[in-house]
Amino acid sequence: MDITMDGVAGPLTALQVMQDAAVIPVIVLTDVAHAVPLARALVAGGIRMLEVTLRTPQALACIEAIARDVPEAVVGAGTARSAADVQACAMAGARFIVSPGYTHAVGTACRDAHLPLLPGVATGSEIMAAQEDGYTELKFFPALQAGGLAMLKAWGGPFGDVKFCPTGGITAANAAEFLALANVACVGGSWLVPGDALARGDWARVSELARQAAGLPR
């Protein structure tokens, strides 16, 4: 059963992950106890595609907790850098994978696990390598440092069949500029989960930031 507008069951495609909302939150969690209430707060604000990054030892346990206890969310794993990462994320219940770069091994592991992948690219050669393996929905990372809006506009010509999720330096202040580009399907950003709100358990603030993000025009 495929994902629907009202549900999140079944296999996904990368394009569905990108098109569900204007922003995919980039989440770093150090306390498993925060995972479920954070996910519920984001979903309450209209954001259900959640990228939990593999940047802390607790990340896999957080992914598992969200997958188990927040079925209305679609939890994915970010910062996947190897086939072993992909396999561990699949076992934890991740339903999509985001990587900071692209390798054939990561792409193959995602196909084997039947998980959509948003591979990171920063150059034309990296885009072509991902395309050779069948990936046309890509993460542009680090977006600002790698050329930002100007680079995405330049890629619109030779890579007109590619959709991007720029991540890295995207904020509430500049997200709309990126979302206005024809080749941008969504953006990734950490501003939906401020560190101070996470530390205090201020889930109402997280929900409000999610509502604002979900309402961004595309």
Side-chain angles (χ1 to χ4, degrees), residues 147-207:
L149 292 165
M151 183 66 84
L152 285 163
K153 290 175 183 177
W155 280 342
F159 301 115
D161 56 338
V162 176
K163 292 293 185 183
F164 294 98
C165 172
T167 305
I170 311 301
T171 68
N174 64 15
E177 292 181 278
F178 284 89
L179 290 165
L181 298 180
N183 58 350
V184 171
C186 67
V187 300
S190 59
W191 81 89
L192 278 69
V193 187
D196 58 343
L198 190 60
R200 293 196 307 267
D202 188 351
W203 310 126
R205 183 180 173 199
V206 171
S207 290

Side-chain angles (χ1 to χ4, degrees), residues 13-205:
T13 67
L15 191 59
Q16 285 173 320
V17 172
M18 295 171 80
Q19 290 182 334
D20 198 64
V23 183
I24 297 175
V26 179
I27 302 166
V28 180
L29 289 169
T30 58
D31 187 342
V32 178
H34 288 156
V36 168
L38 173 65
R40 288 175 175 157
L42 288 164
V43 170
I47 301 290
R48 59 181 180 173
M49 299 291 169
L50 313 181
E51 177 191 341
V52 176
T53 63
L54 300 182
R55 300 182 188 180
T56 70
Q58 297 81 15
L60 287 172
C62 291
I63 290 169
E64 186 173 5
I66 294 170
R68 180 186 64 242
D69 295 335
V70 194
E72 62 271 33
V74 180
V75 63
T79 325
R81 300 186 300 167
S82 67
D85 283 345
V86 173
Q87 292 158 5
C89 293
M91 290 289 292
R95 293 185 54 198
F96 65 92
I97 302 293
V98 184
S99 60
Y102 180 71
T103 67
H104 179 73
V106 167
T108 298
C110 286
R111 290 194 191 284
D112 290 345
H114 305 290
L115 291 175
L117 168 66
L118 299 181
V121 298
T123 68
S125 295
E126 292 169 354
I127 294 172
M128 291 167 65
Q131 281 192 299
E132 282 186 0
D133 285 350
Y135 292 98
T136 57
E137 289 81 36
L138 310 176
K139 167 183 169 178
F140 176 33
F141 177 80
L144 286 196
Q145 295 87 341
L149 292 165
M151 183 66 84
L152 285 163
K153 290 175 183 177
W155 280 342
F159 301 115
D161 56 338
V162 176
K163 292 293 185 183
F164 294 98
C165 172
T167 305
I170 311 301
T171 68
N174 64 15
E177 292 181 278
F178 284 89
L179 290 165
L181 298 180
N183 58 350
V184 171
C186 67
V187 300
S190 59
W191 81 89
L192 278 69
V193 187
D196 58 343
L198 190 60
R200 293 196 307 267
D202 188 351
W203 310 126
R205 183 180 173 199

